[in-house]
Each structure stands twice: as structure tokens, then as C-alpha cells.
């Protein structure tokens, strides 16, 4: 007897409960996630650029031997810009309001701490001689996001914080190892790209790394973790 489509679907769901668990997380509070993430992202930029324009004289960060070893690689610009999609994933996969608020609090705290540093201790990266063809995305990035607001790198701290949260979420649903590796590789690619497209240097990358890890650990939820089968079970 040929198995029906419903039988095949049930078998697939039973053998891969993490997929069902991820789907349930995605649809939970989806309108709130969509509106909240959009408002937070759009609200960040005016304040960021206002501080960049009005802060005092910036201290130019020194280059390290590591910075001199990393070649300029404009092809990594899409990886650099992918942060704005990557950071939306922990929001999308939040299982409830508590987890959603925890991630939101972490992002808000990182932003507030970094903006205070930008205001009271403004820094900038050296003026790299970067050739960007007119009309390209790289030229636009260099025009809009200038060398200021360097330390700590919020690009790095956001990607590291999102990586920590996603690692926790993927572990909770019992996701396979390859997916967890993809998560870490994506975050590492974003971090590397900040130096490869000459938007940051090692010192502010390390500052962003420390900030992201600190908030990732600080916002860890305490409590029992449900097994993947329990998370996938309908209410």
C-alpha cells in the first residue's frame, strides 16, 4: 500500500521535530515581532547618525599587525550588510514574550552603552585609501557610514549577541549540528567583513565582541529547557 501524503507529513514531522518547533516559534507573536523589529531598526539610525555628526573630535584608532594582514575585500560587502537580516532571526524564533523581551533588552542595552561611548569618547578608524567605483553599494556605504562611531563596533556586538541567542534557540529545539555551525559561520563572516570592507579595525572589533558576549551571557534565561518533542507538540 502506498503511503498517503498525510502519512508522509506525519513521518517527516516525527523524524525532524526541530523543524516543527522552529515553525511554531516563527508564527508565535509574529505581528508583534514584525512591527517591533521594524520600528527598532528604523529608530536606531537617526540617533546613531546624529551622534556621529554632533559628537566631539574623534580619536583615530591605531592599526595593529592584524589589521595590516587583512586584505581589502569588497566582495564581502553583502556579508557585512546581511547583519540586518541575521539579527532579525532571534526575534523571529523567540518562543514567547519573555524571550522576545530578553533579546530586545539586550539590543537596547548594547545600543545605549555604545552610544554613550560614542558621545563621551568618540573614535574613528584611519582614513583607508579605498577605491570604490561610483554608483556602487560600497561607495554609498562609505558616504553614509563614515569613519566615526568606531569603538565599540555595534556591527560586531549585534552579530555576536544574535549568534549567542540563536545558538541557544537552536539548541533548545534540538537543531542538527550543521545548522548550528552555519549560525556561527555566518556571525564570524559578518565580524570578519567589518575589517575586510574597511569599516572597522581590530580594536573596535574586540570591543564589540566583548559587548556582545557580555549581553549574551547577561540575558540568559534561567529555567528548565523543554525537549524538542515537547516543544513541537500542539497545545
Amino acid at each position: 500500500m502506498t503511503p498517503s501524503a498525510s502519512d508522509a507529513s506525519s513521518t517527516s514531522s516525527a523524524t525532524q521535530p526541530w523543524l516543527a518547533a522552529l515553525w511554531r516559534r516563527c508564527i508565535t507573536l509574529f505581528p508583534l515581532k514584525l512591527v517591533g523589529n521594524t520600528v527598532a531598526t528604523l529608530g536606531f539610525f537617526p540617533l546613531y547618525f546624529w551622534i556621529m555628526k554632533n559628537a566631539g573630535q574623534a580619536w583615530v584608532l591605531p592599526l595593529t599587525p592584524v589589521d595590516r594582514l587583512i586584505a581589502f575585500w569588497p566582495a564581502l560587502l553583502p556579508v557585512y550588510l546581511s547583519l540586518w537580516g541575521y539579527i532579525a532571526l532571534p526575534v523571529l524564533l523567540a518562543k514567547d514574550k519573555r524571550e522576545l523581551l530578553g533579546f530586545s533588552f539586550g539590543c537596547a542595552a548594547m545600543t545605549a552603552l555604545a552610544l554613550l561611548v560614542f558621545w563621551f569618547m568618540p573614535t574613528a578608524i584611519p582614513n583607508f585609501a579605498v577605491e570604490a567605483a561610483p554608483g556602487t553599494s560600497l561607495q554609498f556605504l562609505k558616504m553614509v557610514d563614515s569613519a566615526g562611531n568606531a569603538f565599540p563596533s555595534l556591527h560586531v556586538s549585534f552579530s555576536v549577541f544574535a549568534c549567542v541567542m540563536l545558538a541557544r534557540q537552536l539548541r533548545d529545539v534540538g537543531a542538527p549540528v550543521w545548522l548550528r555551525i552555519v549560525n556561527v559561520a555566518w556571525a564570524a563572516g559578518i565580524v570578519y567583513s567589518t575589517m575586510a570592507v574597511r569599516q572597522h579595525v581590530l580594536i573596535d572589533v574586540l570591543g564589540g565582541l566583548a559587548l556582545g558576549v557580555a549581553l549574551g551571557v547577561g540575558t540568559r534565561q534561567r529555567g528548565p529547557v523543554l525537549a524538542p518533542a515537547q516543544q513541537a507538540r500542539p497545545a
Side-chain angles (χ1 to χ4, degrees):
M1 181 180 295
T2 304
S4 64
S6 60
D7 292 337
S9 177
S10 299
T11 301
S12 177
S13 178
T15 55
Q16 296 183 324
W18 61 273
L19 284 175
L22 287 178
W23 174 247
R24 288 176 60 83
R25 282 171 170 258
C26 288
I27 61 177
T28 299
L29 303 172
F30 181 76
L32 176 62
K33 294 172 179 177
L34 179 62
V35 173
N37 189 69
T38 303
V39 170
T41 302
L42 295 178
F44 163 78
F45 287 105
L47 184 57
Y48 175 84
F49 288 119
W50 184 88
I51 288 181
M52 182 184 293
K53 181 179 179 180
N54 294 282
Q57 183 66 34
W59 171 56
V60 178
L61 294 167
L63 293 176
T64 67
V66 173
D67 296 304
R68 295 184 175 90
L69 285 174
I70 296 177
F72 175 53
W73 195 359
L76 286 184
L77 180 60
V79 179
Y80 178 85
L81 297 176
S82 72
L83 169 71
W84 303 109
Y86 182 63
I87 200 174
L89 293 178
V91 175
L92 181 63
L93 296 179
K95 64 183 177 182
D96 51 30
K97 284 186 178 180
R98 181 186 176 194
E99 190 169 281
L100 185 60
L101 288 174
F103 182 74
S104 301
F105 170 79
C107 288
M110 280 192 306
T111 302
L113 289 171
L115 292 181
L116 284 173
V117 175
F118 296 160
W119 182 256
F120 290 105
M121 192 183 74
T123 52
I125 62 171
N127 185 20
F128 291 106
V130 173
E131 294 185 6
T136 62
S137 299
L138 184 59
Q139 185 201 37
F140 178 76
L141 176 66
K142 295 298 180 182
M143 289 173 57
V144 174
D145 192 9
S146 64
N149 289 0
F151 178 90
S153 167
L154 269 177
H155 218 84
V156 171
S157 59
F158 278 138
S159 60
V160 171
F161 181 54
C163 181
V164 172
M165 297 298 290
L166 277 170
R168 200 171 295 154
Q169 292 168 329
L170 294 174
R171 180 202 64 202
D172 287 353
V173 301
V177 173
W178 67 264
L179 191 56
R180 303 187 201 186
I181 293 175
V182 168
N183 172 44
V184 175
W186 191 349
I190 294 173
V191 171
Y192 183 82
S193 73
T194 63
M195 294 184 286
V197 301
R198 299 295 188 257
Q199 286 298 106
H200 288 286
V201 295
L202 181 63
I203 293 175
D204 40 288
V205 165
L206 293 177
L209 178 67
L211 186 58
V213 170
L215 268 296
V217 173
T219 56
R220 182 176 57 187
Q221 292 187 15
R222 306 306 196 268
V225 176
L226 294 177
Q230 291 176 290
Q231 295 182 33
R233 185 180 304 156

